[in-house]
Amino acid sequence: MKLPDFEAWAVFAAVVEHRSFSAAADALSVSKATVSKAISRLEARLGTTLFHRTSRRLTLTDSGRALADHAQRIRAEGEAAEEAAFESASAPAGLVRMAAPLTFGIKHLGPLLAEFLGDHPGIQIDLRLSDARIDIVAEGVDVAIRIAELPDSSLRARRLGAVTAHIVAAPAYFDKHGRPRHPADLSGHACFTYANLANPDVWRFRRAGGEEASVRVQGPLRTDNGEAMLPALRAGLGVAVLPGFIVDQDIAAGRLEAVLAEWSAGAAGLHLVTPPGTLRPARVETLIAFLSDRLRRLCADAH
């Protein structure tokens, strides 16, 4: 049996990441013809087509999509092996691609990265902020922060702590419309919903004794970013369920009031998520170790 065509696998991973032969060629500092030949060589060896090619678009076939994770892992482990060989002679260096939720990234991650980059001048970070859940393998992301209870998957996840959610509105809103005594009461309120949930119109709650409740809600505002709800909340226009890192300051200042404190409004885990595989470049491991320490402290301080 011949050895695997490791170069072609790495080129395939680069094309998946950059979504074009030309962009992959630029990233790898090779010609477009070299990229095209590597993909054709790999397709011939595997006996399958990896991409649908048109004059305007390049998309993965079903076979290509199934093999993309393997390609990314092969490239990442090759990079990690090379970095390990040079690690003792030099400080970690290179680009780390990172993804995080928008508001959390601005409030907490930005200041931490400033500290990290000051200590590690050889490392560069490409940070993408969005509340949408992205495919970190297809997007070529090295590490992502996710605030959720994660389903089983091939991704590697490290739970760093809990992020508590609160049921909040302006005191003036509750003075006018009444304070709910049970989650079921929320069905009669103007509720702001978060679009990135699987079922935004159903809120679920749990009490310490094990009692559970779910309520269908509706209201005048739905958005894919929780911080965007704050002006309408402060104006007394409705109720929302939001994580503490968005509303804690408003609660402390009296601009918002939390209710139903005996009910959990869906505490989620704060996770660092990485692609499959056990080997990672030193620059990625260095960032993960730093963020694990700082974000664990952040979660502990919040409780």
Side-chain angles (χ1 to χ4, degrees):
M1 180 179 178
K2 294 192 297 182
L3 285 172
D5 190 340
F6 293 113
E7 180 186 41
W9 280 105
V11 170
F12 173 45
V15 176
V16 172
E17 177 183 344
H18 295 284
R19 301 178 183 177
S20 83
F21 282 23
S22 297
D26 290 342
L28 297 172
S29 299
V30 299
S31 69
K32 183 179 176 182
T34 298
V35 170
S36 181
K37 287 176 183 177
I39 297 301
S40 296
R41 197 167 70 237
L42 187 60
E43 289 178 327
R45 176 156 183 164
L46 297 175
T48 189
T49 302
L50 299 173
F51 295 100
H52 295 299
R53 303 170 178 85
T54 69
S55 59
R56 298 189 175 198
R57 253 184 108 191
L58 184 75
T59 57
L60 284 166
T61 63
D62 289 343
S63 296
R65 197 172 298 110
L67 294 169
D69 283 5
H70 295 286
Q72 192 278 337
R73 196 176 310 149
I74 288 168
R75 187 176 70 162
E77 294 196 356
E79 290 176 349
E82 288 189 348
E83 280 208 21
F86 297 111
E87 188 176 1
S88 60
S90 61
L95 180 66
V96 181
R97 295 177 179 86
M98 188 172 185
L102 178 59
T103 301
F104 186 87
I106 293 170
K107 286 182 176 290
H108 296 301
L109 190 57
L112 292 178
L113 292 183
E115 178 186 351
F116 177 82
L117 291 171
D119 292 339
H120 301 279
I123 296 178
Q124 302 91 44
I125 294 176
D126 177 355
L127 174 62
R128 308 166 195 185
L129 297 178
S130 172
D131 286 352
R133 180 171 294 188
I134 65 169
D135 183 335
I136 68 172
V137 173
E139 297 288 337
V141 171
D142 298 300
V143 57
I145 290 178
R146 288 190 174 159
I147 300 172
E149 292 306 324
L150 299 181
D152 291 337
S153 74
S154 62
L155 301 178
R156 302 182 69 201
R158 181 181 303 186
R159 184 184 174 98
L160 305 179
V163 175
T164 302
H166 303 282
I167 307 147
V168 296
Y173 174 89
F174 286 135
D175 290 342
K176 182 176 180 180
H177 298 282
R179 287 163 176 78
R181 297 176 179 275
H182 187 275
D185 297 338
L186 291 167
S187 63
H189 286 267
C191 295
F192 304 157
T193 53
Y194 181 58
N196 285 329
L197 296 176
N199 195 347
D201 298 323
V202 177
W203 291 355
R204 292 180 171 83
F205 304 88
R206 179 188 291 270
R207 194 149 58 177
E211 181 183 356
E212 296 183 354
S214 63
V215 56
R216 183 168 291 277
V217 299
Q218 58 182 352
L221 178 62
R222 174 176 293 178
T223 177
D224 62 359
N225 176 257
E227 192 170 18
M229 300 179 190
L230 287 178
L233 284 170
R234 294 165 183 158
L237 301 179
V239 184
V241 174
L242 289 172
F245 65 84
I246 292 180
V247 298
D248 280 346
Q249 289 184 350
D250 281 86
I251 293 172
R255 292 185 293 268
L256 296 179
E257 177 183 344
V259 297
L260 298 174
E262 69 275 19
W263 290 87
S264 166
L270 176 66
H271 299 86
L272 280 177
V273 180
T274 55
T278 57
L279 288 177
R280 288 186 290 256
R283 61 186 182 271
V284 177
E285 290 286 7
T286 301
L287 179 60
I288 288 173
F290 172 83
L291 291 177
S292 295
D293 174 66
R294 297 299 194 275
L295 293 176
R296 278 199 174 98
R297 289 191 215 170
L298 180 69
C299 291
D301 291 344
H303 294 81

